[in-house]
Amino acid sequence: MPDKPLRPTHKDYIKLLETTGWDLITGSEAFPVKDQTLEQLLRTTHERNRKGETPGVISNMDIAELTLAEMEKLWEHLGLPM
């Protein structure tokens, strides 16, 4: 049985902020948000959260889906108010 790949660390995600290929899953198929940078989607999810909306799920098929806790740590890293 192959080893399960390790989840990226917070430092890994910081290095990936400018990479493209990230998608935002919000439950609305009317407005898909695909192939953005991780930073763009973090700013989008932060704004959604600030408005009281569900932030959604940031995912990259090759890497991982970010948990809300991981998003919050990255919002803080980007200087977005908590």
Side-chain angles (χ1 to χ4, degrees):
M1 179 175 201
D3 289 338
K4 184 176 177 181
L6 297 176
R7 283 192 63 78
T9 66
H10 180 65
K11 288 181 181 183
D12 293 333
Y13 282 124
I14 290 171
K15 292 175 186 174
L16 295 170
L17 286 172
E18 296 303 316
T19 62
T20 58
W22 296 87
D23 300 332
L24 178 61
I25 303 162
T26 62
S28 171
E29 292 182 22
F31 301 103
V33 182
K34 296 189 176 286
D35 200 27
Q36 301 291 311
T37 67
L38 178 54
E39 182 174 353
Q40 288 171 313
L41 293 184
L42 285 165
R43 292 184 183 282
T44 299
T45 56
H46 180 267
E47 184 64 20
R48 289 175 57 85
N49 188 64
R50 193 185 66 74
K51 291 179 179 177
E53 299 173 8
T54 303
V57 175
I58 297 175
S59 70
N60 179 299
M61 196 162 52
D62 297 329
I63 300 170
E65 286 186 356
L66 277 75
T67 66
L68 182 57
E70 289 165 334
M71 285 193 287
E72 288 174 342
K73 286 176 71 175
L74 289 165
W75 293 343
E76 186 176 10
H77 172 78
L78 293 170
L80 301 171
M82 298 302 292

